[in-house]
Structures are given as C-alpha cells and as structure tokens.
Amino acid sequence: MVEQALSPRAAATRQRILDAALVEFAANGLAGARVDEIAARADANKRMIYAYFGSKEDLWLAVLETAYAQKRAEEHALETTTLPPMEAMRALVRFNLRYTAAHPEFVALLNQENIHRAAYLKRSGAVPALYSPLLAALSRVLERGQAEGVFRAGVDAMQLYVSILALGHFYIANRHTLSTIFGTELTTEAALAAREAHIEQVVLGYLRP
C-alpha cells in the first residue's frame, strides 16, 4: 500500500482501483477476482495496481480497510453519545440494519474474509482501532441508561454490539434463502421495516431493567 502523498491525479487513479476492486472482490472473492478485470474497470493497468498496492492480497486488505472505515465513519456520525440512551440504541439498530441492506458488497466482503478466517484482516492495525472508540461510546450510553433507570446493569458493550450486528447481518445475508424457505418475500421495504422494528424490540427488551 502506498504511504507517500499522492498527486490529485494519482489519488484519483488509486480510488478508481479501490472502487473497481470492491466490485470485483464482492462478486468473485479474493481467489476468483482477476487483476485484469479490476484494471479494466478502473481504466488503469496492472502495473499501476501493483505500484499502488503491491499485490492482489494487499489490494484485498486495502478494500477491506476502506469498507470498514466508511461504515464506521457513517456510524460515528450518529453521535449516539448526545442522544437519550433509548434513542441512541434505536439509532444504532436502525443504522446497522439499513447500512447492511444498502451495502450488499460489504456483506460479501465479510463473508469472504471469514472463509479465510480473517487471515488478511489480522494484518490490519487500522480496523481494530476503529472499534475501540465505538465500544467506549456504547459503554457510555449504557452507563447513562443505567443511571436514568432505563437500562439494566451488567450489560457487556461488545456482546451487545455483536448481537445488534448479528440480528441484522444474518437477515440481510440470507433473506433470499429465507424468503424461499418461509414462502414470504423478505426483500421488500415493508419486510425490512418489520425486521427493524423487531430488532428494536429485542434489543430494548433485553436492556430493560
């Protein structure tokens, strides 16, 4: 990955490569993705890709880091620390479900990286660093909720966040198969809104004193 400052033109080329790689990796995974296809999508050449990123595996990691960073930037913009505790939890639930629904490529990347047992993500110092502030902020929301008498004590912030992610991610990642299994269409806006309301009830019910 390039560390030195890039010219505006070079930065634009690098971003086009990242955007093209996201599409190719989401569709085909790391193993199936072709550097030639990424270069064509980016209107670049393979030499540029290797110059900016070093290898296909390094490009994969750069795409992962970028995807995580974009999600966390939007999540941070919720400013849950300034919202009343229950509204902060509702906002967190809504954001994670809606973001996952709007970004199927993010789901695809995570599924692929889990197939690799996070072998590439383990090389990243950037992604874990994104989540320490999140858990600290969530802990403060829980503390405020407990002080106001709307949340129970003893809630683990990491476990709660993982549960919120799981309740939305599983639904989005599997909604086509679930639609077939249960004979009801789960890909509509109405179905997504119903799922959103259900997750809110589950999370807030768990947090009730």
Side-chain angles (χ1 to χ4, degrees):
M1 192 179 299
V2 175
E3 298 293 339
Q4 69 268 26
L6 299 175
S7 69
R9 181 176 178 180
T13 300
R14 186 179 187 278
Q15 186 60 52
R16 287 201 314 275
I17 292 170
L18 281 171
D19 293 342
L22 173 60
V23 174
E24 178 70 6
F25 285 140
N28 299 300
L30 174 59
R34 297 178 61 246
V35 175
D36 285 333
E37 182 63 25
I38 294 170
R41 286 180 186 273
D43 191 23
N45 59 56
K46 290 171 68 174
R47 180 183 58 79
M48 289 180 180
I49 292 175
Y50 294 128
Y52 289 138
F53 297 99
S55 68
K56 186 170 81 165
E57 289 75 16
D58 290 333
L59 177 56
W60 168 262
L61 178 56
V63 169
L64 274 178
E65 289 180 331
T66 300
Y68 272 106
Q70 288 174 345
K71 180 176 185 288
R72 279 295 299 121
E74 291 192 33
E75 197 167 32
H76 178 71
L78 295 175
E79 296 184 349
T80 53
T81 55
T82 64
L83 293 171
M86 291 187 71
E87 284 307 309
M89 287 300 167
R90 288 192 179 98
L92 196 60
V93 164
R94 292 168 187 161
F95 170 79
N96 277 285
L97 178 65
R98 295 286 175 168
Y99 189 93
T100 306
H103 295 276
E105 73 283 358
F106 187 64
V107 176
L109 289 176
L110 266 59
N111 289 346
Q112 284 291 322
E113 183 62 7
N114 274 287
I115 289 173
H116 295 291
R117 297 180 179 270
Y120 301 96
L121 196 60
K122 287 173 183 176
R123 293 164 43 190
S124 175
V127 173
L130 293 171
Y131 284 86
S132 293
L134 167 68
L135 293 182
L138 183 54
S139 294
R140 289 193 292 272
V141 172
L142 290 169
E143 289 167 3
R144 287 194 293 115
Q146 184 182 347
E148 293 176 21
V150 295
F151 292 161
R152 68 182 182 84
V155 176
D156 184 295
M158 186 196 75
Q159 292 291 350
L160 176 63
Y161 186 70
V162 170
S163 293
I164 291 171
L165 293 179
L167 288 165
H169 183 100
F170 182 87
Y171 177 87
I172 298 301
N174 297 279
R175 56 184 169 171
H176 297 292
T177 52
L178 291 172
S179 294
T180 300
I181 291 168
F182 294 116
T184 185
E185 187 53 64
L186 298 178
T187 63
T188 65
E189 170 56 31
L192 188 64
R195 182 62 185 171
E196 182 179 77
H198 176 78
I199 298 173
E200 284 184 28
Q201 291 171 358
V202 169
V203 172
L204 293 177
Y206 165 73
L207 291 172
R208 190 176 298 121

